[in-house]
Amino acid sequence: MRTAGGRRAAPRIPGLLLLLHAAARLAAEQEVENLSGLSPSPEKDIFVVRENRTTCLMAEFAARFIVPYDVWASNYVDLITEQAEIPLPRGAEMRGKCGANESELEVSWLERAYTLRLLFLKEGHNTSRGPEAQWRLARTQFAYDTGERTYFKDAVSPGKHTASSHRLSAFVTPAGKSYECQAQQSITLLSSDHQKSVELLLSEVRVQPFDISADFVFSEEHKCPVDQREQLEETLPLILGLILGLVIVITLCVYHLHHKLTASQAQLPRDRSQYKHMG
């Protein structure tokens, strides 16, 4: 189409149509699902991020936060420190994104008064066997509001704060595997509230932020050292029992054979002069 001056006009595409198209494409490419209702444990949450109808991040864990905060003492002059224990509830809102080398999970609840963010990185490194890839939890951040009255009672100077990890390297796992740890783990976060330490307690953890080969299915697990030690402690008595039983059986067999040979030798006459009377 040409204008009155003879110049070609740029084709016009309605802005609303472009916006709707982009929104529909984004919705089709990424989905997030909170499947905590499927968990047999009332304290464990299950989160799934999918892109292009394929699962790209799965995480299930039980989490709670120990958060120190200041309140007035009974004399209303001194400050004392209380601790709020904040569990991660079922039905929390979630967001997530996946990448080739970086993935992120964000969970919030109570109208975003509390938000947990987990950042995962996949990296390559050289070993004696050659180059290998692994992934890890590289950053944890917890935003909270001491003005929220469910867990914070009479906080002094209530407001919003953020607690973050420092040089974190947790859940280190070979690429292509999921991380599993049933034992409780602790991650310390440094808060913007006068540098207080917030403790994140995690248990019943199973996470895989990269390289999921089957939809809604974790890959082979990589157990944490605590679980490996507990598994060894459980199986070691069984192994020792089997070895002891085998030693007893071998001892009995040797004793029986020795007794049989000794009995056979006892039946032969010891005086050689008696041989002429035999037969």
Side-chain angles (χ1 to χ4, degrees):
M1 186 175 68
R2 296 181 178 275
T3 62
R7 291 176 297 178
R8 185 180 296 275
R12 295 180 180 179
I13 301 177
L16 180 60
L17 183 60
L18 275 175
L19 183 62
L20 291 174
H21 176 72
R25 182 177 179 183
L26 180 62
E29 289 179 348
Q30 186 178 87
E31 306 169 27
V32 292
E33 298 184 55
N34 186 333
L35 303 179
S36 302
L38 302 178
S39 172
S41 172
E43 298 179 349
K44 185 167 68 173
D45 294 271
I46 302 175
F47 306 106
V48 176
V49 180
R50 306 177 77 235
E51 287 188 354
N52 299 320
R53 300 182 180 180
T54 302
T55 302
C56 59
L57 185 153
M58 288 181 65
E60 57 181 54
F61 52 83
R64 57 192 176 96
F65 302 84
I66 309 298
V67 184
Y69 67 102
D70 294 331
V71 299
W72 289 114
S74 57
N75 58 11
Y76 291 97
V77 175
D78 301 319
L79 290 176
I80 60 175
T81 300
E82 296 285 352
Q83 286 188 333
E85 184 170 333
I86 306 169
L88 174 59
R90 285 190 169 187
E93 298 178 5
M94 63 167 294
R95 300 176 183 175
K97 63 179 182 180
C98 300
N101 299 307
E102 181 175 318
S103 295
E104 185 175 341
L105 177 65
E106 178 182 299
V107 183
S108 59
W109 60 101
L110 287 180
E111 299 180 351
R112 298 188 69 81
Y114 307 101
T115 300
L116 170 65
R117 297 183 182 90
L118 303 175
L119 175 67
F120 303 94
L121 296 179
K122 185 168 74 169
E123 303 164 320
H125 63 286
N126 294 320
T127 67
S128 58
R129 298 181 298 273
E132 293 182 354
Q134 63 183 20
W135 65 265
R136 62 186 174 94
L137 174 60
R139 187 180 183 191
T140 300
Q141 188 179 77
F142 178 55
Y144 60 96
D145 186 354
T146 56
E148 199 280 317
R149 293 304 188 100
T150 305
Y151 302 106
F152 294 99
K153 309 297 183 184
D154 303 320
V156 175
S157 302
K160 296 182 178 181
H161 304 281
T162 301
S164 303
S165 59
H166 180 64
R167 294 182 179 178
L168 181 62
S169 183
F171 300 0
V172 179
T173 302
K177 292 187 177 183
S178 62
Y179 174 85
E180 182 178 20
C181 194
Q182 296 299 312
Q184 181 173 281
Q185 304 169 84
S186 175
I187 297 176
T188 300
L189 312 175
L190 195 61
S191 175
S192 58
D193 182 14
H194 299 90
Q195 302 297 298
K196 291 182 172 66
S197 293
V198 174
E199 191 173 14
L200 167 58
L201 302 176
L202 294 167
S203 58
E204 301 180 80
V205 176
R206 187 84 184 265
V207 178
Q208 187 171 359
F210 304 101
D211 306 316
I212 297 178
S213 56
D215 214 15
F216 294 105
V217 178
F218 284 109
S219 301
E220 178 187 356
E221 73 278 3
H222 173 76
K223 292 184 179 293
C224 64
V226 177
D227 279 10
Q228 291 177 4
R229 184 167 60 250
E230 290 181 351
Q231 185 178 11
L232 179 60
E233 291 174 352
E234 291 175 358
T235 57
L236 189 58
L238 178 61
I239 295 173
L240 292 177
L242 290 174
I243 294 174
L244 180 60
L246 184 61
V247 169
I248 292 174
V249 170
I250 293 174
T251 303
L252 290 175
C253 290
V254 171
Y255 174 78
H256 178 71
L257 181 61
H258 175 72
H259 181 71
K260 188 174 180 180
L261 291 174
T262 304
S264 299
Q265 291 175 359
Q267 293 176 2
L268 295 176
R270 297 186 178 181
D271 189 354
R272 293 181 178 272
S273 62
Q274 296 180 16
Y275 282 105
K276 63 182 179 179
H277 301 293
M278 299 180 63

